[in-house]
Amino acid sequence: MKNPYSLFLLFLLLTSLGVISYKQSKDFQRTRFEALLKSEFRNIPVNKDEDKEAKSVDQPEMAAIQDYYMTVDPATGTVPRERLLLAYESLKNNSFQKSTLAAPLWTGYPVEMGGRTRTIMYDPNDPTHKKVWAGSVTGGLWYNTDITDPSSSWVAIGDFWSCLAIRCITYDPNNPMVFYLGTGEPETAIQTYRESSGLGNGIWKSTDGGQTWNTIPSTSGFPYITKILVKNEAGNSVIYAGVVSGLYHGIHQSTPSDGLFRSADGGNTWTQVLPVISGFSVPYSPSDIAMGADGRIYVGTMPNLDSRGGATILFSDSGLPGSWTVNSTYKTIIESDPDYSIPGRVVLATAPSNPSVVYGLIGSGFLNTANNFKYFYCFHIIRSNDKGVTWDDKNLPYDLTSGVSFATIAWHALDITVDPNNAESLYIGGLDVHHSTTGGDTWLRVSDWALMYSGGGPEYVHADQHIMVYKPGSSSELLLGTDGGVFYSSNAGVSFPNFQQRNTNYATLQYYSADIKNLPGDVSLLGGLQDNGSLLYEGYPISINNMISGGDGAYCFFDKNEPDFYMTSGYYNVWYIFAAGTMINYVGDWQSGVFVNPADYDYRTNTLYSNACDFIGTYVDYYSKISNITAGYSGTFKKANTTTTTYFSAVKWSPYSPSGKATLFLGTQSGKLFKLLNAESTPITTEITGSAFPVGSISCIDIGSSDNELLVTFSNYGVASVWHTIDGGVTWKNKETNLPDMPVRWGIFHPGNKKQVMLATETGTWTTENFDQDEVVWTPAVNGMANVRTDMLNIRESDYTVVAATQGRGLFTTTWDVVSGTSDLTRTGFSIYPNPVTDVLNLTYETIVNQRITLKVFDQSGKQLLVREKTSTTGVNTERISLSGKPAGVYYVTLYFNGKQMKTEKVVKE
């Protein structure tokens, strides 16, 4: 007889092994990941009531949360954006300038709108002060040679820098050819709010007036730079940099610490000079740095990651450790306030005409315990008449829009500047712009952001003010940096100035989505953006007049068989339906889902299918169906019967659906994939999740030659991102191969050759021509584009035109050629010089056989300016291209061998 005790031990062992096996299973990992996502939503600060801030048209904090879900590394629970540096190195090492036979040339589109701009600098080397530099938080660095001319175009610098998140710029007063850039957006990193911000990469330096830049190696540990000041100290150029940490989608701790860092040797070595926060062992976190006309340095602070040290002002004449005077008066005042007791961010401005006069704006906040979000307003406009020793409160402007404060999101949008010639004249900005000619005693509201919905006008300035800069020595010319780009006034000295947009080809818009009209050769494009609604492009520069819906735009579609019908969505599944330019339906009674809600469109039956589940599980396992949208629509929520506990992160309608039926593919944010037959009525659901699929968010599903061929992408760090099946999901192959570890947000098959696949990634687009092979070779395909996050791709099958939606550089299109074989044409020996050029370009290329050569030159808008054809000779060939008479700006030179595009170079004409 067997020993009962032995049987019991065997039972325990088997049970333990079963538990261990389950904990190692994908089901357990997915369940744990889904629980993590739900708990994160409850813990993340969420401003669900932004309408109370008089700006209900956008809710970008929700986009931030959604992107956290999409990109978080399931193994760490953080978003390791520092891995993008490795991804960038991979992009660079793959030589994005080397072409494959079908390497696409991307064409951007003319714009008269811009994205969020936090820094502006007049070029110190231009005696006319017409040349201006500006930095976008996701679109990089730009310059404009004549800011007074509304038709003068902006030119981008550093398309393929490793970081396009520009926060501040300044120059060396002893050598104006030396510029410094600070990267990273610290305000969002502290608040966890706007997805379009980015992690920085230290300080960058130029010694040739901004044409070429290099990172300063000693600053590699500085993730977020708030401000840089270069001071002439007895003939020596001393750099001061405000450095802070951030928790934006991960832990980005500044090393060696937060603080004000001083370098007297050009950035080789640094010393932290600020005192520690009273009662703690860490230095203050600088939000702003200003210098008086007499050289005194002023520092305003912001709360650090532990919410300490805000609302404090420090000053020093030498800038050295131990020399700082600390004024925490307003910190104490705010902490005693019964309603707004959290000391916030400080911004400062000195009066160039009077070294004794300094102004400041200070944020005050409160914690909403219901959503864990800290709201900040500005209730303190302060002035010092004794160089910062004592301060007085000035009157507050009354903002008719909010009725609360002129700065309703003071942690994010807040700035101040003083007339260079009049210490009593100053401008402040929060949501709108206010002007005082009485030293802050009285105020006039001089802008109205809501005019963007009625075509603008002289009072129109986009919402959210980030930077205000007077032209050196001028009381009349003023520049503003906003969430909508750059604005200019030529009469800032009057009480009510006029403003004009200065966004010509300032292509820094942030798109979530895009589609292209289904007519061969048609130029019409549609896209949903952050904070700029949805825009329709029809051949003219993109401007506020192209806005067809407000707030944040989301998914959008042109009808494929009735192309005059098109539709776009706002957040949470609200839809606007148009016919030939007229809105015919507003579908607002089926709100559901997540912020930028995944959807697809059955153009045969005019039916929209969308995810219905929200972030916390309302309508879990449901999708929405809105039928007959071009007429009298009707809607319903349909249960998918998938057993998932999260929302559907990818929705794909199959063009192979039987007549009168709908086949849907639904992917979840934890990595499950389902096929639904009869989705239009009672769905028949089959799970086709790959056994090796990672735990992570399915970002896109594309369909190849039939419903049996699928391309599935994942957008999380730390997982295999690209998967392929040709048997309907019975077997899957991992196709990531040489892709770096980065989010893949979209993927499409080429309609003419399913071996060709294009991906939208965090570093632009990548392509392959051997997707059917085990060892897929991915190549960056960014000629004409930039190292910019790309969210979505759509292709028009009739002429293989692809549209790409980027977060920071607007829309791009390209013709994606079919590759049908190989070629013996050389791909080496191409060079073009000088670049930048003033008149004539020299171009050399090498061929190994005689062949037909075509050279084309395009301007920045994609307009073809020159075509030259000839038959090459074997060996090295030389061409000269004259750009004489062409305006300054960006041009593209493209080389074709026997009709195949081989190489494209971007050229800057000065």
Side-chain angles (χ1 to χ4, degrees), residues 837-841 857 865 881-887 891 907 909:
V837 64
T838 56
D839 187 9
V840 177
L841 280 172
V857 178
L865 303 179
I881 301 172
S882 175
L883 295 180
S884 178
K886 298 292 189 291
Y891 295 86
V907 176
K909 184 179 185 299

Side-chain angles (χ1 to χ4, degrees), residues 132 220 258 276 429 485 515 703 852:
V132 168
S220 61
D258 292 6
V276 297
D515 200 8
I703 302 173
R852 179 169 53 88

Side-chain angles (χ1 to χ4, degrees), residues 633-655:
Y633 71 89
S634 61
T636 185
F637 291 136
K638 304 191 74 65
K639 190 168 180 59
N641 298 312
T642 64
T643 70
T644 183
T645 63
T646 64
Y647 67 82
F648 297 116
S649 54
V651 177
K652 181 68 177 180
W653 169 79
S654 171

Side-chain angles (χ1 to χ4, degrees), residues 520-555:
D522 195 288
V523 299
S524 300
L525 304 172
L526 187 62
L529 303 85
Q530 179 171 352
D531 211 6
N532 280 290
S534 292
L535 300 176
L536 175 66
Y537 173 79
E538 295 182 296
Y540 298 94
I542 296 172
S543 72
I544 58 174
N545 296 318
N546 296 101
M547 185 178 291
I548 58 175
S549 65
D552 282 50
Y555 279 59

Side-chain angles (χ1 to χ4, degrees), residues 598-634:
D600 205 1
Y601 178 57
D602 177 356
Y603 60 86
R604 297 188 313 197
T605 62
N606 304 122
T607 302
L608 281 164
Y609 293 96
S610 308
N611 163 64
C613 178
D614 65 13
F615 290 117
I616 59 174
T618 308
Y619 287 113
V620 66
D621 197 30
Y622 279 83
Y623 60 95
S624 72
K625 174 194 172 188
I626 304 173
S627 306
N628 200 25
I629 63 166
T630 59
Y633 71 89
S634 61

Side-chain angles (χ1 to χ4, degrees), residues 528-597:
L529 303 85
Q530 179 171 352
D531 211 6
N532 280 290
S534 292
L535 300 176
L536 175 66
Y537 173 79
E538 295 182 296
Y540 298 94
I542 296 172
S543 72
I544 58 174
N545 296 318
N546 296 101
M547 185 178 291
I548 58 175
S549 65
D552 282 50
Y555 279 59
C556 56
F557 304 99
F558 282 100
D559 192 297
K560 290 186 183 299
N561 59 9
E562 299 175 283
D564 281 340
F565 285 111
Y566 54 91
M567 63 218 69
T568 184
S569 59
Y571 38 76
Y572 303 118
N573 213 35
V574 170
W575 290 89
Y576 306 83
I577 317 299
F578 297 84
T582 300
M583 191 171 80
I584 59 173
N585 271 329
Y586 168 71
V587 185
D589 45 359
W590 292 96
Q591 292 189 43
S592 56
V594 293
F595 188 74
V596 180
N597 197 45

Side-chain angles (χ1 to χ4, degrees), residues 318-330:
S318 70
L320 296 173
S323 68
W324 293 87
T325 298
V326 180
N327 188 324
S328 57
T329 301
Y330 285 92

Side-chain angles (χ1 to χ4, degrees), residues 667-686:
T668 77
Q669 64 174 154
S670 62
K672 291 184 178 181
L673 181 64
F674 301 90
K675 180 178 182 180
L676 280 66
L677 301 176
N678 301 336
E680 80 292 342
S681 55
T682 303
I684 302 171
T685 302
T686 303

